[in-house]
Amino acid sequence: MLQAEQPYDLLPPTFIIFICIFDFFEKGNYVYTFKKRCLEDLELELPDETTTMLLNTQGTHGEISKDLKSFYDYVNNHIVTTDFTKQIDDEISYLKLDTKVRREFMLMEARLLDERRDGIAEGEAIGMAKGEAMGVTNANIATAKRMLSKGCYSLQDIAELTNLSLADVEKLTEEA
Protein backbone atom coordinates (compact mmCIF):
# COMPACT_ATOMS: atom_id res chain seq x y z
CA MET A 1 0.00 0.00 0.00
CA LEU A 2 3.00 2.30 0.36
CA GLN A 3 5.29 3.51 -2.40
CA ALA A 4 9.05 3.23 -2.00
CA GLU A 5 10.41 5.47 0.77
CA GLN A 6 6.96 6.50 2.05
CA PRO A 7 6.76 6.57 5.87
CA TYR A 8 4.72 4.05 7.87
CA ASP A 9 2.50 6.77 9.29
CA LEU A 10 0.77 7.10 5.91
CA LEU A 11 -0.74 3.64 6.37
CA PRO A 12 -4.33 3.65 7.59
CA PRO A 13 -4.98 1.87 10.90
CA THR A 14 -5.55 -1.84 10.30
CA PHE A 15 -7.55 -4.23 12.47
CA ILE A 16 -7.23 -7.99 12.17
CA ILE A 17 -10.04 -9.66 14.06
CA PHE A 18 -10.34 -13.36 14.83
CA ILE A 19 -13.65 -14.59 16.19
CA CYS A 20 -12.88 -17.66 18.27
CA ILE A 21 -15.47 -20.03 19.73
CA PHE A 22 -12.77 -21.26 22.12
CA ASP A 23 -10.38 -19.51 24.48
CA PHE A 24 -7.09 -19.62 22.58
CA PHE A 25 -5.04 -18.37 25.56
CA GLU A 26 -7.18 -20.01 28.27
CA LYS A 27 -7.26 -16.83 30.37
CA GLY A 28 -11.02 -16.21 30.24
CA ASN A 29 -10.86 -12.77 28.61
CA TYR A 30 -13.64 -11.67 26.30
CA VAL A 31 -11.11 -9.85 24.13
CA TYR A 32 -7.34 -10.15 23.62
CA THR A 33 -5.77 -7.12 21.89
CA PHE A 34 -2.23 -7.07 20.47
CA LYS A 35 0.01 -4.40 18.98
CA LYS A 36 3.45 -4.97 17.46
CA ARG A 37 6.24 -4.31 19.95
CA CYS A 38 10.00 -4.58 19.72
CA LEU A 39 11.17 -7.58 21.74
CA GLU A 40 14.44 -5.85 22.65
CA ASP A 41 12.71 -2.68 23.86
CA LEU A 42 9.04 -3.15 24.78
CA GLU A 43 8.56 0.62 24.83
CA LEU A 44 8.97 0.65 21.03
CA GLU A 45 5.82 0.01 19.06
CA LEU A 46 5.84 -0.40 15.29
CA PRO A 47 4.03 2.70 13.99
CA ASP A 48 1.94 0.82 11.42
CA GLU A 49 -1.17 1.08 13.62
CA THR A 50 -1.99 -2.60 13.17
CA THR A 51 -4.11 -4.07 15.93
CA THR A 52 -4.86 -7.77 16.16
CA MET A 53 -7.85 -8.77 18.25
CA LEU A 54 -9.04 -12.21 19.26
CA LEU A 55 -12.69 -12.15 20.25
CA ASN A 56 -13.29 -15.05 22.63
CA THR A 57 -16.99 -15.93 22.55
CA GLN A 58 -16.46 -18.18 25.59
CA GLY A 59 -14.89 -15.39 27.68
CA THR A 60 -15.91 -14.46 31.21
CA HIS A 61 -13.48 -11.61 32.09
CA GLY A 62 -13.39 -7.99 31.04
CA GLU A 63 -15.76 -5.26 29.96
CA ILE A 64 -17.62 -5.58 26.65
CA SER A 65 -20.54 -3.71 25.16
CA LYS A 66 -24.08 -5.04 25.14
CA ASP A 67 -23.88 -5.43 21.35
CA LEU A 68 -20.66 -7.43 21.54
CA LYS A 69 -22.13 -9.64 24.28
CA SER A 70 -25.21 -10.23 22.13
CA PHE A 71 -22.94 -11.01 19.17
CA TYR A 72 -21.12 -13.62 21.29
CA ASP A 73 -24.48 -15.12 22.27
CA TYR A 74 -25.47 -15.20 18.60
CA VAL A 75 -22.21 -16.93 17.59
CA ASN A 76 -22.46 -19.47 20.41
CA ASN A 77 -26.21 -20.19 20.37
CA HIS A 78 -27.64 -18.58 17.18
CA ILE A 79 -30.01 -16.54 19.35
CA VAL A 80 -31.07 -13.09 18.14
CA THR A 81 -31.39 -10.75 21.15
CA THR A 82 -30.73 -7.22 19.82
CA ASP A 83 -31.15 -5.12 16.70
CA PHE A 84 -27.44 -5.63 16.06
CA THR A 85 -27.70 -9.43 16.00
CA LYS A 86 -30.93 -9.16 14.00
CA GLN A 87 -29.02 -7.24 11.31
CA ILE A 88 -26.29 -9.90 11.31
CA ASP A 89 -28.82 -12.71 11.12
CA ASP A 90 -30.70 -11.00 8.28
CA GLU A 91 -27.47 -10.52 6.31
CA ILE A 92 -26.43 -14.14 6.82
CA SER A 93 -29.87 -15.34 5.73
CA TYR A 94 -29.68 -13.15 2.62
CA LEU A 95 -26.20 -14.38 1.76
CA LYS A 96 -27.24 -18.00 2.19
CA LEU A 97 -29.92 -17.49 -0.45
CA ASP A 98 -27.57 -15.79 -2.91
CA THR A 99 -26.31 -18.64 -5.11
CA LYS A 100 -23.39 -16.60 -6.44
CA VAL A 101 -22.12 -15.86 -2.93
CA ARG A 102 -22.62 -19.50 -1.89
CA ARG A 103 -20.69 -20.71 -4.93
CA GLU A 104 -17.83 -18.28 -4.27
CA PHE A 105 -17.74 -19.33 -0.62
CA MET A 106 -17.63 -23.00 -1.55
CA LEU A 107 -14.85 -22.35 -4.07
CA MET A 108 -12.89 -20.40 -1.49
CA GLU A 109 -13.37 -23.22 1.02
CA ALA A 110 -12.16 -25.76 -1.56
CA ARG A 111 -9.11 -23.59 -2.36
CA LEU A 112 -8.26 -23.29 1.33
CA LEU A 113 -8.53 -27.05 1.72
CA ASP A 114 -6.27 -27.59 -1.30
CA GLU A 115 -3.73 -25.10 0.09
CA ARG A 116 -3.82 -26.84 3.46
CA ARG A 117 -3.24 -30.24 1.80
CA ASP A 118 -0.40 -28.78 -0.31
CA GLY A 119 1.14 -27.27 2.81
CA ILE A 120 0.95 -30.57 4.68
CA ALA A 121 2.49 -32.44 1.72
CA GLU A 122 5.26 -29.86 1.44
CA GLY A 123 5.94 -30.05 5.17
CA GLU A 124 6.08 -33.84 5.04
CA ALA A 125 8.49 -33.74 2.07
CA ILE A 126 10.76 -31.29 3.89
CA GLY A 127 10.62 -33.45 7.02
CA MET A 128 11.45 -36.58 5.04
CA ALA A 129 14.39 -34.87 3.33
CA LYS A 130 15.75 -33.63 6.67
CA GLY A 131 15.24 -37.06 8.21
CA GLU A 132 17.04 -38.77 5.35
CA ALA A 133 19.92 -36.30 5.57
CA MET A 134 20.19 -36.89 9.32
CA GLY A 135 20.12 -40.65 8.73
CA VAL A 136 22.92 -40.46 6.17
CA THR A 137 24.97 -38.24 8.48
CA ASN A 138 24.41 -40.58 11.44
CA ALA A 139 25.35 -43.59 9.31
CA ASN A 140 28.53 -41.82 8.14
CA ILE A 141 29.45 -40.97 11.72
CA ALA A 142 28.89 -44.59 12.81
CA THR A 143 31.04 -45.80 9.90
CA ALA A 144 33.78 -43.30 10.78
CA LYS A 145 33.74 -44.47 14.41
CA ARG A 146 34.13 -48.10 13.31
CA MET A 147 36.98 -47.12 10.98
CA LEU A 148 38.68 -45.21 13.81
CA SER A 149 38.33 -48.20 16.13
CA LYS A 150 40.16 -50.40 13.58
CA GLY A 151 43.08 -47.98 13.66
CA CYS A 152 44.20 -48.74 10.09
CA TYR A 153 42.75 -45.70 8.29
CA SER A 154 44.11 -42.17 8.19
CA LEU A 155 41.84 -39.34 9.28
CA GLN A 156 41.95 -38.01 5.71
CA ASP A 157 40.84 -41.41 4.29
CA ILE A 158 38.01 -41.65 6.82
CA ALA A 159 36.81 -38.16 5.93
CA GLU A 160 36.94 -38.96 2.23
CA LEU A 161 35.18 -42.34 2.51
CA THR A 162 32.39 -41.11 4.84
CA ASN A 163 31.83 -37.67 3.28
CA LEU A 164 32.51 -36.08 6.66
CA SER A 165 34.76 -33.07 7.02
CA LEU A 166 38.24 -33.61 8.40
CA ALA A 167 37.26 -31.42 11.37
CA ASP A 168 34.28 -33.70 12.12
CA VAL A 169 36.49 -36.80 11.99
CA GLU A 170 39.02 -35.09 14.31
CA LYS A 171 36.18 -34.35 16.76
CA LEU A 172 35.25 -38.04 16.72
CA THR A 173 38.80 -38.96 17.70
CA GLU A 174 38.59 -36.55 20.64
CA GLU A 175 35.28 -38.09 21.77
CA ALA A 176 36.67 -41.62 21.74
Side-chain angles (χ1 to χ4, degrees):
M1 293 178 63
L2 291 177
Q3 300 299 320
E5 299 182 21
Q6 284 186 306
Y8 266 148
D9 59 0
L10 293 179
L11 282 172
T14 303
F15 289 86
I16 302 166
I17 301 173
F18 296 93
I19 302 168
C20 301
I21 57 172
F22 59 93
D23 190 349
F24 186 81
F25 297 105
E26 298 179 352
K27 299 284 186 184
N29 292 3
Y30 284 119
V31 178
Y32 298 96
T33 306
F34 297 90
K35 295 258 187 189
K36 294 179 187 173
R37 296 219 179 268
C38 175
L39 296 179
E40 292 76 19
D41 182 350
L42 296 178
E43 296 295 315
L44 291 176
E45 183 178 313
L46 195 62
D48 65 357
E49 295 190 58
T50 297
T51 302
T52 301
M53 300 176 76
L54 281 82
L55 304 182
N56 172 23
T57 65
Q58 302 296 317
T60 56
H61 304 306
E63 298 288 324
I64 58 173
S65 69
K66 178 184 171 192
D67 280 340
L68 189 53
K69 179 65 175 136
S70 69
F71 174 70
Y72 284 6
D73 290 339
Y74 179 79
V75 169
N76 291 330
N77 306 309
H78 303 289
I79 298 172
V80 174
T81 57
T82 64
D83 289 339
F84 178 61
T85 53
K86 173 79 172 115
Q87 286 178 312
I88 292 170
D89 190 60
D90 289 347
E91 188 65 24
I92 290 171
S93 296
Y94 171 75
L95 291 173
K96 283 181 177 179
L97 295 175
D98 188 327
T99 56
K100 182 179 176 186
V101 170
R102 287 181 62 201
R103 188 177 318 110
E104 287 176 15
F105 179 78
M106 290 172 65
L107 288 172
M108 180 185 70
E109 198 170 73
R111 279 192 303 272
L112 288 173
L113 184 58
D114 288 345
E115 289 173 5
R116 186 176 299 125
R117 286 183 184 142
D118 291 347
I120 289 169
E122 183 179 338
E124 288 173 347
I126 290 169
M128 291 291 289
K130 285 182 178 180
E132 287 175 12
M134 278 179 42
V136 168
T137 299
N138 289 340
N140 289 342
I141 290 170
T143 301
K145 285 180 178 179
R146 285 194 305 277
M147 292 173 80
L148 285 168
S149 72
K150 293 282 186 190
C152 56
Y153 297 95
S154 72
L155 297 183
Q156 185 65 39
D157 286 343
I158 294 172
E160 184 180 324
L161 293 170
T162 60
N163 292 322
L164 295 173
S165 71
L166 186 57
D168 288 340
V169 175
E170 288 170 350
K171 283 182 194 173
L172 291 175
T173 62
E174 294 168 9
E175 293 173 10

